[in-house]
CSV table of all heavy atoms in Angstrom, one decimal:
chain,number,residue,atom,x,y,z
A,11,MET,N,-30.2,-14.4,-122.5
A,11,MET,CA,-30.7,-14.4,-121.2
A,11,MET,C,-32.2,-14.8,-121.4
A,11,MET,O,-32.8,-14.5,-122.3
A,11,MET,CB,-30.7,-13.1,-120.5
A,11,MET,CG,-29.3,-12.7,-120.1
A,11,MET,SD,-28.9,-13.0,-118.4
A,11,MET,CE,-29.8,-11.6,-117.6
A,12,SER,N,-32.6,-15.5,-120.4
A,12,SER,CA,-34.0,-16.1,-120.6
A,12,SER,C,-34.6,-16.2,-119.1
A,12,SER,O,-33.9,-15.9,-118.1
A,12,SER,CB,-34.0,-17.4,-121.2
A,12,SER,OG,-35.3,-18.0,-121.3
A,13,LEU,N,-35.8,-16.7,-119.0
A,13,LEU,CA,-36.4,-16.8,-117.7
A,13,LEU,C,-37.0,-18.2,-117.7
A,13,LEU,O,-37.2,-18.9,-118.6
A,13,LEU,CB,-37.6,-15.8,-117.6
A,13,LEU,CG,-37.2,-14.3,-117.3
A,13,LEU,CD1,-36.7,-13.6,-118.4
A,13,LEU,CD2,-38.4,-13.7,-116.6
A,14,ILE,N,-37.1,-18.7,-116.4
A,14,ILE,CA,-37.7,-20.0,-116.2
A,14,ILE,C,-38.8,-19.9,-115.2
A,14,ILE,O,-38.9,-19.0,-114.3
A,14,ILE,CB,-36.6,-21.0,-115.6
A,14,ILE,CG1,-36.0,-20.7,-114.3
A,14,ILE,CG2,-35.7,-21.3,-116.7
A,14,ILE,CD1,-35.3,-21.7,-113.7
A,15,ILE,N,-39.7,-20.9,-115.3
A,15,ILE,CA,-40.8,-20.9,-114.3
A,15,ILE,C,-40.4,-22.0,-113.2
A,15,ILE,O,-40.2,-23.1,-113.6
A,15,ILE,CB,-42.1,-21.2,-115.0
A,15,ILE,CG1,-42.5,-20.1,-116.0
A,15,ILE,CG2,-43.3,-21.5,-114.0
A,15,ILE,CD1,-43.7,-20.4,-116.9
A,16,THR,N,-40.6,-21.7,-112.0
A,16,THR,CA,-40.2,-22.7,-110.9
A,16,THR,C,-41.4,-23.5,-110.5
A,16,THR,O,-42.6,-23.2,-110.9
A,16,THR,CB,-39.7,-22.0,-109.7
A,16,THR,OG1,-40.8,-21.2,-109.1
A,16,THR,CG2,-38.6,-21.0,-110.1
A,17,THR,N,-41.2,-24.4,-109.7
A,17,THR,CA,-42.3,-25.4,-109.3
A,17,THR,C,-43.4,-24.7,-108.4
A,17,THR,O,-44.4,-25.4,-108.0
A,17,THR,CB,-41.8,-26.6,-108.5
A,17,THR,OG1,-41.0,-26.2,-107.5
A,17,THR,CG2,-40.9,-27.4,-109.4
A,18,ASP,N,-43.2,-23.4,-108.0
A,18,ASP,CA,-44.3,-22.8,-107.3
A,18,ASP,C,-45.4,-22.4,-108.2
A,18,ASP,O,-46.4,-21.9,-107.8
A,18,ASP,CB,-43.7,-21.5,-106.6
A,18,ASP,CG,-42.7,-21.9,-105.4
A,18,ASP,OD1,-43.0,-23.0,-104.9
A,18,ASP,OD2,-42.0,-21.0,-105.2
A,19,CYS,N,-45.3,-22.5,-109.5
A,19,CYS,CA,-46.3,-22.2,-110.5
A,19,CYS,C,-47.6,-22.9,-110.2
A,19,CYS,O,-47.7,-24.1,-109.9
A,19,CYS,CB,-45.8,-22.6,-111.8
A,19,CYS,SG,-47.1,-22.5,-113.2
A,20,ILE,N,-48.7,-22.1,-110.2
A,20,ILE,CA,-50.1,-22.7,-109.9
A,20,ILE,C,-50.8,-22.9,-111.1
A,20,ILE,O,-52.1,-23.1,-111.1
A,20,ILE,CB,-50.8,-21.8,-108.9
A,20,ILE,CG1,-51.0,-20.3,-109.5
A,20,ILE,CG2,-50.1,-21.7,-107.6
A,20,ILE,CD1,-51.9,-19.4,-108.6
A,21,SER,N,-50.2,-22.7,-112.3
A,21,SER,CA,-50.8,-23.0,-113.6
A,21,SER,C,-52.1,-22.2,-113.9
A,21,SER,O,-53.0,-22.7,-114.5
A,21,SER,CB,-51.2,-24.5,-113.8
A,21,SER,OG,-49.9,-25.3,-113.8
A,22,CYS,N,-51.9,-20.9,-113.5
A,22,CYS,CA,-53.1,-20.0,-113.7
A,22,CYS,C,-53.2,-19.6,-115.2
A,22,CYS,O,-54.3,-19.2,-115.7
A,22,CYS,CB,-53.0,-18.8,-112.9
A,22,CYS,SG,-51.6,-17.7,-113.4
A,23,GLY,N,-52.0,-19.7,-115.9
A,23,GLY,CA,-52.2,-19.4,-117.4
A,23,GLY,C,-52.0,-17.9,-117.8
A,23,GLY,O,-52.0,-17.5,-119.0
A,24,ILE,N,-51.9,-17.0,-116.8
A,24,ILE,CA,-52.0,-15.6,-117.0
A,24,ILE,C,-50.8,-15.2,-117.8
A,24,ILE,O,-50.9,-14.4,-118.8
A,24,ILE,CB,-52.0,-14.8,-115.7
A,24,ILE,CG1,-53.4,-15.0,-115.0
A,24,ILE,CG2,-51.7,-13.3,-116.0
A,24,ILE,CD1,-53.4,-14.4,-113.6
A,25,CYS,N,-49.6,-15.8,-117.5
A,25,CYS,CA,-48.4,-15.4,-118.2
A,25,CYS,C,-48.4,-15.8,-119.7
A,25,CYS,O,-47.8,-15.1,-120.5
A,25,CYS,CB,-47.2,-16.0,-117.5
A,25,CYS,SG,-47.2,-17.8,-117.5
A,26,GLU,N,-49.0,-16.9,-120.0
A,26,GLU,CA,-49.1,-17.4,-121.4
A,26,GLU,C,-49.5,-16.2,-122.4
A,26,GLU,O,-48.9,-16.0,-123.5
A,26,GLU,CB,-49.9,-18.5,-121.5
A,26,GLU,CG,-50.0,-19.1,-123.0
A,26,GLU,CD,-50.9,-20.4,-123.1
A,26,GLU,OE1,-51.6,-20.7,-122.2
A,26,GLU,OE2,-50.9,-21.0,-124.1
A,27,HIS,N,-50.6,-15.4,-121.9
A,27,HIS,CA,-51.1,-14.4,-122.8
A,27,HIS,C,-50.3,-13.1,-122.7
A,27,HIS,O,-50.5,-12.2,-123.6
A,27,HIS,CB,-52.6,-14.2,-122.4
A,27,HIS,CG,-53.4,-15.4,-122.4
A,27,HIS,ND1,-53.6,-16.2,-123.6
A,27,HIS,CD2,-53.9,-16.3,-121.4
A,27,HIS,CE1,-54.3,-17.3,-123.4
A,27,HIS,NE2,-54.4,-17.4,-122.0
A,28,SER,N,-49.4,-13.0,-121.8
A,28,SER,CA,-48.6,-11.8,-121.7
A,28,SER,C,-47.4,-11.8,-122.5
A,28,SER,O,-46.8,-10.8,-122.7
A,28,SER,CB,-48.2,-11.5,-120.2
A,28,SER,OG,-47.1,-12.4,-119.9
A,29,CYS,N,-47.0,-13.0,-123.1
A,29,CYS,CA,-45.6,-13.1,-123.7
A,29,CYS,C,-45.8,-12.7,-125.2
A,29,CYS,O,-46.5,-13.4,-126.0
A,29,CYS,CB,-45.2,-14.5,-123.6
A,29,CYS,SG,-43.7,-14.8,-124.4
A,30,PRO,N,-45.0,-11.6,-125.6
A,30,PRO,CA,-45.2,-11.3,-127.1
A,30,PRO,C,-44.4,-12.2,-127.9
A,30,PRO,O,-44.6,-12.1,-129.2
A,30,PRO,CB,-44.3,-9.9,-127.0
A,30,PRO,CG,-43.4,-10.1,-125.9
A,30,PRO,CD,-44.1,-10.8,-124.8
A,31,ASN,N,-43.7,-13.1,-127.4
A,31,ASN,CA,-43.0,-14.1,-128.2
A,31,ASN,C,-43.6,-15.5,-128.3
A,31,ASN,O,-43.0,-16.4,-128.8
A,31,ASN,CB,-41.5,-14.2,-127.8
A,31,ASN,CG,-40.7,-12.9,-128.1
A,31,ASN,OD1,-40.8,-12.4,-129.2
A,31,ASN,ND2,-40.0,-12.4,-127.2
A,32,HIS,N,-44.8,-15.6,-127.6
A,32,HIS,CA,-45.4,-16.9,-127.5
A,32,HIS,C,-44.4,-18.0,-127.0
A,32,HIS,O,-44.4,-19.0,-127.5
A,32,HIS,CB,-46.0,-17.3,-128.8
A,32,HIS,CG,-47.0,-16.2,-129.4
A,32,HIS,ND1,-48.2,-15.9,-128.9
A,32,HIS,CD2,-46.8,-15.3,-130.4
A,32,HIS,CE1,-48.7,-15.0,-129.6
A,32,HIS,NE2,-47.9,-14.6,-130.5
A,33,ALA,N,-43.6,-17.6,-126.0
A,33,ALA,CA,-42.7,-18.5,-125.5
A,33,ALA,C,-43.2,-19.3,-124.3
A,33,ALA,O,-42.5,-20.2,-123.8
A,33,ALA,CB,-41.4,-17.7,-125.0
A,34,ILE,N,-44.4,-19.1,-123.8
A,34,ILE,CA,-44.9,-19.8,-122.7
A,34,ILE,C,-46.0,-20.7,-123.1
A,34,ILE,O,-46.9,-20.3,-123.8
A,34,ILE,CB,-45.3,-18.7,-121.6
A,34,ILE,CG1,-44.2,-17.7,-121.3
A,34,ILE,CG2,-45.8,-19.4,-120.3
A,34,ILE,CD1,-44.6,-16.6,-120.4
A,35,PHE,N,-45.9,-21.9,-122.5
A,35,PHE,CA,-46.9,-22.9,-122.8
A,35,PHE,C,-47.2,-23.8,-121.7
A,35,PHE,O,-46.4,-23.9,-120.7
A,35,PHE,CB,-46.6,-23.6,-124.1
A,35,PHE,CG,-45.3,-24.3,-124.0
A,35,PHE,CD1,-45.3,-25.7,-123.5
A,35,PHE,CD2,-44.1,-23.8,-124.2
A,35,PHE,CE1,-44.0,-26.4,-123.3
A,35,PHE,CE2,-42.8,-24.4,-124.1
A,35,PHE,CZ,-42.9,-25.8,-123.6
A,36,PRO,N,-48.4,-24.3,-121.5
A,36,PRO,CA,-48.6,-25.3,-120.5
A,36,PRO,C,-47.7,-26.6,-120.6
A,36,PRO,O,-47.7,-27.3,-121.7
A,36,PRO,CB,-50.1,-25.8,-120.7
A,36,PRO,CG,-50.7,-24.8,-121.7
A,36,PRO,CD,-49.5,-24.4,-122.4
A,37,GLY,N,-47.1,-26.9,-119.6
A,37,GLY,CA,-46.3,-28.2,-119.6
A,37,GLY,C,-47.0,-29.4,-119.0
A,37,GLY,O,-48.2,-29.2,-118.8
A,38,GLU,N,-46.4,-30.4,-118.6
A,38,GLU,CA,-47.0,-31.5,-118.0
A,38,GLU,C,-47.6,-31.2,-116.7
A,38,GLU,O,-48.6,-31.6,-116.3
A,38,GLU,CB,-46.0,-32.7,-118.0
A,38,GLU,CG,-46.6,-34.0,-117.8
A,38,GLU,CD,-45.6,-35.2,-118.0
A,38,GLU,OE1,-45.0,-35.1,-119.1
A,38,GLU,OE2,-45.5,-36.1,-117.3
A,39,ASP,N,-46.8,-30.5,-115.8
A,39,ASP,CA,-47.3,-30.2,-114.4
A,39,ASP,C,-47.4,-28.7,-114.2
A,39,ASP,O,-48.4,-28.3,-113.6
A,39,ASP,CB,-46.2,-30.7,-113.5
A,39,ASP,CG,-46.2,-32.3,-113.5
A,39,ASP,OD1,-47.2,-32.9,-113.5
A,39,ASP,OD2,-45.0,-32.6,-113.4
A,40,ILE,N,-46.5,-27.9,-114.8
A,40,ILE,CA,-46.6,-26.5,-114.6
A,40,ILE,C,-46.4,-25.8,-116.0
A,40,ILE,O,-46.1,-26.5,-117.0
A,40,ILE,CB,-45.5,-26.0,-113.7
A,40,ILE,CG1,-44.1,-26.4,-114.1
A,40,ILE,CG2,-45.8,-26.4,-112.2
A,40,ILE,CD1,-43.0,-25.8,-113.3
A,41,TYR,N,-46.5,-24.5,-116.0
A,41,TYR,CA,-46.2,-23.8,-117.3
A,41,TYR,C,-44.7,-23.8,-117.6
A,41,TYR,O,-43.8,-23.8,-116.6
A,41,TYR,CB,-46.8,-22.3,-117.2
A,41,TYR,CG,-48.3,-22.4,-117.7
A,41,TYR,CD1,-49.2,-23.1,-116.9
A,41,TYR,CD2,-48.7,-21.8,-118.9
A,41,TYR,CE1,-50.5,-23.2,-117.4
A,41,TYR,CE2,-49.9,-21.9,-119.3
A,41,TYR,CZ,-50.9,-22.5,-118.5
A,41,TYR,OH,-52.2,-22.5,-119.0
A,42,VAL,N,-44.3,-23.6,-118.8
A,42,VAL,CA,-42.9,-23.7,-119.1
A,42,VAL,C,-42.5,-22.5,-120.1
A,42,VAL,O,-43.4,-22.1,-120.9
A,42,VAL,CB,-42.7,-25.1,-119.9
A,42,VAL,CG1,-41.2,-25.2,-120.4
A,42,VAL,CG2,-43.1,-26.2,-119.0
A,43,ILE,N,-41.3,-22.1,-120.1
A,43,ILE,CA,-40.9,-21.0,-121.0
A,43,ILE,C,-39.9,-21.7,-122.0
A,43,ILE,O,-38.9,-22.3,-121.6
A,43,ILE,CB,-40.1,-19.9,-120.3
A,43,ILE,CG1,-41.1,-19.1,-119.3
A,43,ILE,CG2,-39.4,-19.0,-121.2
A,43,ILE,CD1,-40.5,-18.0,-118.5
A,44,ASN,N,-40.1,-21.6,-123.2
A,44,ASN,CA,-39.2,-22.0,-124.3
A,44,ASN,C,-38.0,-20.9,-124.3
A,44,ASN,O,-38.2,-19.9,-124.7
A,44,ASN,CB,-39.9,-22.0,-125.6
A,44,ASN,CG,-39.0,-22.6,-126.7
A,44,ASN,OD1,-37.7,-22.3,-126.7
A,44,ASN,ND2,-39.6,-23.1,-127.7
A,45,THR,N,-36.9,-21.4,-123.8
A,45,THR,CA,-35.8,-20.4,-123.7
A,45,THR,C,-35.2,-20.0,-125.0
A,45,THR,O,-34.5,-19.0,-125.1
A,45,THR,CB,-34.6,-21.1,-122.7
A,45,THR,OG1,-34.3,-22.3,-123.3
A,45,THR,CG2,-35.1,-21.3,-121.4
A,46,ASP,N,-35.6,-20.7,-126.0
A,46,ASP,CA,-35.1,-20.3,-127.3
A,46,ASP,C,-35.9,-19.2,-127.9
A,46,ASP,O,-35.5,-18.4,-128.8
A,46,ASP,CB,-35.2,-21.5,-128.4
A,46,ASP,CG,-34.1,-22.6,-128.0
A,46,ASP,OD1,-33.0,-22.2,-127.6
A,46,ASP,OD2,-34.4,-23.7,-128.4
A,47,LEU,N,-37.1,-19.1,-127.4
A,47,LEU,CA,-38.0,-18.1,-127.8
A,47,LEU,C,-38.1,-16.7,-126.9
A,47,LEU,O,-38.3,-15.7,-127.4
A,47,LEU,CB,-39.5,-18.6,-128.0
A,47,LEU,CG,-39.7,-19.7,-129.0
A,47,LEU,CD1,-41.2,-20.0,-128.9
A,47,LEU,CD2,-39.4,-19.1,-130.4
A,48,CYS,N,-37.7,-17.0,-125.7
A,48,CYS,CA,-37.7,-15.8,-124.7
A,48,CYS,C,-36.6,-15.0,-124.9
A,48,CYS,O,-35.4,-15.4,-124.9
A,48,CYS,CB,-37.7,-16.4,-123.4
A,48,CYS,SG,-37.5,-15.0,-122.1
A,49,ASN,N,-36.9,-13.7,-125.1
A,49,ASN,CA,-35.7,-12.7,-125.2
A,49,ASN,C,-35.9,-11.6,-124.2
A,49,ASN,O,-35.3,-10.4,-124.4
A,49,ASN,CB,-35.7,-12.0,-126.7
A,49,ASN,CG,-36.8,-11.2,-126.9
A,49,ASN,OD1,-37.8,-11.1,-126.1
A,49,ASN,ND2,-36.7,-10.5,-128.1
A,50,GLU,N,-36.6,-12.0,-123.1
A,50,GLU,CA,-36.8,-11.0,-122.0
A,50,GLU,C,-37.6,-9.8,-122.5
A,50,GLU,O,-37.4,-8.7,-121.9
A,50,GLU,CB,-35.6,-10.6,-121.3
A,50,GLU,CG,-34.8,-11.9,-120.7
A,50,GLU,CD,-33.9,-11.5,-119.6
A,50,GLU,OE1,-33.6,-10.3,-119.3
A,50,GLU,OE2,-33.3,-12.3,-119.0
A,51,CYS,N,-38.4,-10.0,-123.5
A,51,CYS,CA,-39.4,-9.0,-124.1
A,51,CYS,C,-38.6,-8.0,-124.7
A,51,CYS,O,-39.2,-6.8,-125.0
A,51,CYS,CB,-40.3,-8.5,-123.0
A,51,CYS,SG,-41.5,-9.7,-122.4
A,52,SER,N,-37.4,-8.1,-125.0
A,52,SER,CA,-36.7,-7.1,-125.7
A,52,SER,C,-37.3,-6.7,-127.1
A,52,SER,O,-37.7,-7.5,-127.9
A,52,SER,CB,-35.2,-7.6,-126.1
A,52,SER,OG,-34.4,-6.7,-126.8
A,53,GLY,N,-37.4,-5.3,-127.3
A,53,GLY,CA,-38.2,-4.9,-128.5
A,53,GLY,C,-39.5,-4.7,-128.4
A,53,GLY,O,-40.2,-4.1,-129.3
A,54,PHE,N,-40.1,-5.2,-127.2
A,54,PHE,CA,-41.5,-5.1,-127.0
A,54,PHE,C,-41.9,-4.3,-125.7
A,54,PHE,O,-42.6,-3.3,-125.8
A,54,PHE,CB,-42.2,-6.4,-126.8
A,54,PHE,CG,-42.2,-7.3,-128.0
A,54,PHE,CD1,-41.2,-8.2,-128.2
A,54,PHE,CD2,-43.1,-7.1,-129.1
A,54,PHE,CE1,-41.2,-9.0,-129.3
A,54,PHE,CE2,-43.1,-8.0,-130.2
A,54,PHE,CZ,-42.2,-8.9,-130.4
A,55,PHE,N,-41.2,-4.6,-124.7
A,55,PHE,CA,-41.4,-3.9,-123.3
A,55,PHE,C,-40.1,-3.7,-122.6
A,55,PHE,O,-39.0,-4.4,-122.9
A,55,PHE,CB,-42.3,-4.9,-122.4
A,55,PHE,CG,-43.7,-5.2,-123.1
A,55,PHE,CD1,-43.9,-6.4,-123.7
A,55,PHE,CD2,-44.6,-4.3,-123.1
A,55,PHE,CE1,-45.0,-6.6,-124.3
A,55,PHE,CE2,-45.9,-4.6,-123.7
A,55,PHE,CZ,-46.0,-5.8,-124.2
A,56,THR,N,-40.0,-2.7,-121.7
A,56,THR,CA,-38.9,-2.5,-121.0
A,56,THR,C,-38.6,-3.5,-119.9
A,56,THR,O,-37.5,-3.6,-119.4
A,56,THR,CB,-38.8,-1.1,-120.4
A,56,THR,OG1,-40.1,-0.9,-119.6
A,56,THR,CG2,-38.8,0.0,-121.5
A,57,HIS,N,-39.6,-4.2,-119.5
A,57,HIS,CA,-39.5,-5.2,-118.5
A,57,HIS,C,-40.2,-6.5,-118.9
A,57,HIS,O,-41.1,-6.5,-119.6
A,57,HIS,CB,-40.1,-4.8,-117.2
A,57,HIS,CG,-39.4,-3.5,-116.5
A,57,HIS,ND1,-38.2,-3.5,-116.0
A,57,HIS,CD2,-40.0,-2.3,-116.4
A,57,HIS,CE1,-38.0,-2.3,-115.7
A,57,HIS,NE2,-39.0,-1.5,-115.8
A,58,PRO,N,-39.6,-7.7,-118.5
A,58,PRO,CA,-40.2,-8.9,-118.9
A,58,PRO,C,-41.7,-9.0,-118.3
A,58,PRO,O,-42.0,-8.8,-117.2
A,58,PRO,CB,-39.4,-10.0,-118.0
A,58,PRO,CG,-38.1,-9.3,-117.9
A,58,PRO,CD,-38.4,-7.8,-117.8
A,59,GLN,N,-42.6,-9.2,-119.3
A,59,GLN,CA,-44.1,-9.1,-118.9
A,59,GLN,C,-44.5,-10.2,-118.0
A,59,GLN,O,-45.3,-10.0,-117.1
A,59,GLN,CB,-44.9,-9.1,-120.2
A,59,GLN,CG,-44.7,-7.8,-121.0
A,59,GLN,CD,-45.2,-6.6,-120.2
A,59,GLN,OE1,-46.4,-6.3,-120.0
A,59,GLN,NE2,-44.1,-5.8,-119.8
A,60,CYS,N,-43.9,-11.5,-118.3
A,60,CYS,CA,-44.5,-12.5,-117.4
A,60,CYS,C,-44.1,-12.3,-115.9
A,60,CYS,O,-44.9,-12.7,-115.1
A,60,CYS,CB,-43.9,-13.9,-117.9
A,60,CYS,SG,-42.0,-13.9,-118.0
A,61,LEU,N,-42.9,-11.6,-115.7
A,61,LEU,CA,-42.6,-11.3,-114.3
A,61,LEU,C,-43.5,-10.4,-113.7
A,61,LEU,O,-43.8,-10.5,-112.5
A,61,LEU,CB,-41.2,-10.7,-114.2
A,61,LEU,CG,-40.0,-11.6,-114.4
A,61,LEU,CD1,-38.7,-10.7,-114.2
A,61,LEU,CD2,-39.9,-12.6,-113.3
A,62,GLN,N,-44.1,-9.5,-114.5
A,62,GLN,CA,-45.0,-8.4,-114.0
A,62,GLN,C,-46.3,-9.1,-113.6
A,62,GLN,O,-47.0,-8.6,-112.7
A,62,GLN,CB,-45.3,-7.4,-115.0
A,62,GLN,CG,-44.0,-6.8,-115.6
A,62,GLN,CD,-43.4,-5.8,-114.8
A,62,GLN,OE1,-44.0,-4.9,-114.2
A,62,GLN,NE2,-42.1,-5.8,-114.7
A,63,VAL,N,-46.8,-10.1,-114.4
A,63,VAL,CA,-48.2,-10.5,-114.2
A,63,VAL,C,-48.4,-11.8,-113.4
A,63,VAL,O,-49.5,-12.1,-112.9
A,63,VAL,CB,-48.8,-10.9,-115.6
A,63,VAL,CG1,-48.9,-9.6,-116.5
A,63,VAL,CG2,-48.2,-12.0,-116.3
A,64,CYS,N,-47.3,-12.5,-113.1
A,64,CYS,CA,-47.4,-13.7,-112.3
A,64,CYS,C,-47.9,-13.5,-110.9
A,64,CYS,O,-47.1,-12.7,-110.1
A,64,CYS,CB,-46.0,-14.6,-112.3
A,64,CYS,SG,-46.2,-16.0,-111.4
A,65,PRO,N,-49.0,-14.0,-110.5
A,65,PRO,CA,-49.5,-13.7,-109.1
A,65,PRO,C,-48.8,-14.3,-108.0
A,65,PRO,O,-48.9,-13.9,-106.8
A,65,PRO,CB,-51.0,-14.3,-109.2
A,65,PRO,CG,-50.9,-15.3,-110.2
A,65,PRO,CD,-49.8,-14.8,-111.2
A,66,VAL,N,-47.9,-15.4,-108.3
A,66,VAL,CA,-47.2,-16.0,-107.1
A,66,VAL,C,-45.6,-15.7,-107.3
A,66,VAL,O,-44.9,-16.5,-106.6
A,66,VAL,CB,-47.5,-17.5,-107.1
A,66,VAL,CG1,-49.0,-17.7,-106.7
A,66,VAL,CG2,-47.2,-18.2,-108.3
A,67,ALA,N,-45.2,-15.0,-108.2
A,67,ALA,CA,-43.8,-14.6,-108.4
A,67,ALA,C,-43.0,-15.8,-108.5
A,67,ALA,O,-41.9,-15.9,-107.7
A,67,ALA,CB,-43.4,-13.7,-107.2
A,68,CYS,N,-43.4,-16.7,-109.3
A,68,CYS,CA,-42.6,-18.0,-109.5
A,68,CYS,C,-41.7,-18.0,-110.7
A,68,CYS,O,-41.2,-19.0,-111.1
A,68,CYS,CB,-43.6,-19.2,-109.5
A,68,CYS,SG,-44.5,-19.3,-111.0
A,69,ILE,N,-41.5,-16.9,-111.4
A,69,ILE,CA,-40.7,-16.8,-112.6
A,69,ILE,C,-39.4,-16.1,-112.2
A,69,ILE,O,-39.4,-15.1,-111.6
A,69,ILE,CB,-41.4,-16.0,-113.7
A,69,ILE,CG1,-42.8,-16.7,-114.1
A,69,ILE,CG2,-40.5,-16.0,-115.0
A,69,ILE,CD1,-43.6,-16.0,-115.1
A,70,THR,N,-38.2,-16.7,-112.7
A,70,THR,CA,-37.0,-16.2,-112.3
A,70,THR,C,-36.0,-16.1,-113.4
A,70,THR,O,-36.2,-16.8,-114.4
A,70,THR,CB,-36.4,-17.0,-111.1
A,70,THR,OG1,-35.2,-16.4,-110.7
A,70,THR,CG2,-36.1,-18.4,-111.7
A,71,GLN,N,-35.1,-15.2,-113.3
A,71,GLN,CA,-34.1,-15.0,-114.5
A,71,GLN,C,-33.0,-16.0,-114.3
A,71,GLN,O,-32.5,-16.3,-113.2
A,71,GLN,CB,-33.6,-13.6,-114.5
A,71,GLN,CG,-34.6,-12.6,-115.2
A,71,GLN,CD,-34.1,-11.1,-115.0
A,71,GLN,OE1,-33.7,-10.7,-114.0
A,71,GLN,NE2,-34.2,-10.5,-116.1
A,72,ILE,N,-32.5,-16.5,-115.5
A,72,ILE,CA,-31.4,-17.4,-115.4
A,72,ILE,C,-30.3,-16.8,-116.4
A,72,ILE,O,-30.6,-16.0,-117.3
A,72,ILE,CB,-31.7,-18.8,-115.8
A,72,ILE,CG1,-32.3,-18.8,-117.3
A,72,ILE,CG2,-32.6,-19.6,-114.8
A,72,ILE,CD1,-32.4,-20.2,-117.9
A,73,ASN,N,-29.0,-17.0,-116.1
A,73,ASN,CA,-28.1,-16.7,-117.1
A,73,ASN,C,-27.6,-17.8,-118.0
A,73,ASN,O,-26.8,-18.5,-117.8
A,73,ASN,CB,-26.7,-16.3,-116.2
A,73,ASN,CG,-27.1,-15.0,-115.4
A,73,ASN,OD1,-27.6,-14.0,-115.8
A,73,ASN,ND2,-26.7,-15.1,-114.0
A,74,ALA,N,-28.4,-17.8,-119.0
A,74,ALA,CA,-28.1,-18.9,-120.1
A,74,ALA,C,-28.2,-18.3,-121.5
A,74,ALA,O,-28.9,-17.3,-121.7
A,74,ALA,CB,-29.2,-20.0,-120.0
B,122,LIG,S1,-39.6,-12.5,-120.4
B,122,LIG,FE1,-41.1,-11.9,-122.1
B,122,LIG,S2,-40.5,-13.0,-123.9
B,122,LIG,FE2,-39.7,-14.1,-122.0
B,122,LIG,S3,-41.3,-15.6,-121.5
B,122,LIG,FE3,-41.5,-13.8,-120.2
B,122,LIG,S4,-43.1,-12.6,-121.5
B,122,LIG,FE4,-42.2,-14.1,-122.8
B,123,LIG,S1,-48.5,-16.6,-114.2
B,123,LIG,FE1,-47.1,-17.6,-112.8
B,123,LIG,S2,-48.4,-19.1,-111.7
B,123,LIG,FE2,-49.6,-18.5,-113.6
B,123,LIG,S3,-49.0,-20.0,-115.1
B,123,LIG,FE3,-47.6,-18.4,-115.3
B,123,LIG,S4,-45.8,-18.9,-114.1
B,123,LIG,FE4,-47.5,-20.2,-113.5
């Protein structure tokens, strides 16, 4: 399971620093999550940190 960032992203960059797996990076237009690196913060936190910090709630879970 992984998370994705939707086009509502305002590229504030807050989530990038919250990710323990360094899975988030600036993309061409919006920030992007590397789904190979994202493990939903398993082993680090009980809840996905990027979901907690995003000010516009534009990160969502996918079943992949
Ligand atoms: S859920 Fe956790 S591991 Fe996945 S991108 Fe967000 S902060 Fe990183
Ligand atoms: S915290 Fe939300 S709005 Fe900010 S860069 Fe990350 S996904 Fe985009």
Side-chain angles (χ1 to χ4, degrees):
M11 294 257 286
S12 179
L13 283 78
I14 60 166
I15 297 173
T16 69
T17 53
D18 289 336
C19 172
I20 58 172
S21 296
C22 69
I24 294 174
C25 59
E26 180 179 11
H27 305 291
S28 76
C29 180
N31 291 315
H32 306 288
I34 306 176
F35 59 95
E38 200 166 309
D39 297 316
I40 58 173
Y41 274 66
V42 178
I43 293 174
N44 181 332
T45 53
D46 291 331
L47 295 177
C48 173
N49 69 352
E50 299 199 355
C51 292
S52 176
F54 294 98
F55 303 100
T56 52
H57 298 292
Q59 291 301 287
C60 55
L61 281 183
Q62 312 278 319
V63 301
C64 179
V66 295
C68 68
I69 304 175
T70 187
Q71 281 173 316
I72 56 171
N73 294 312

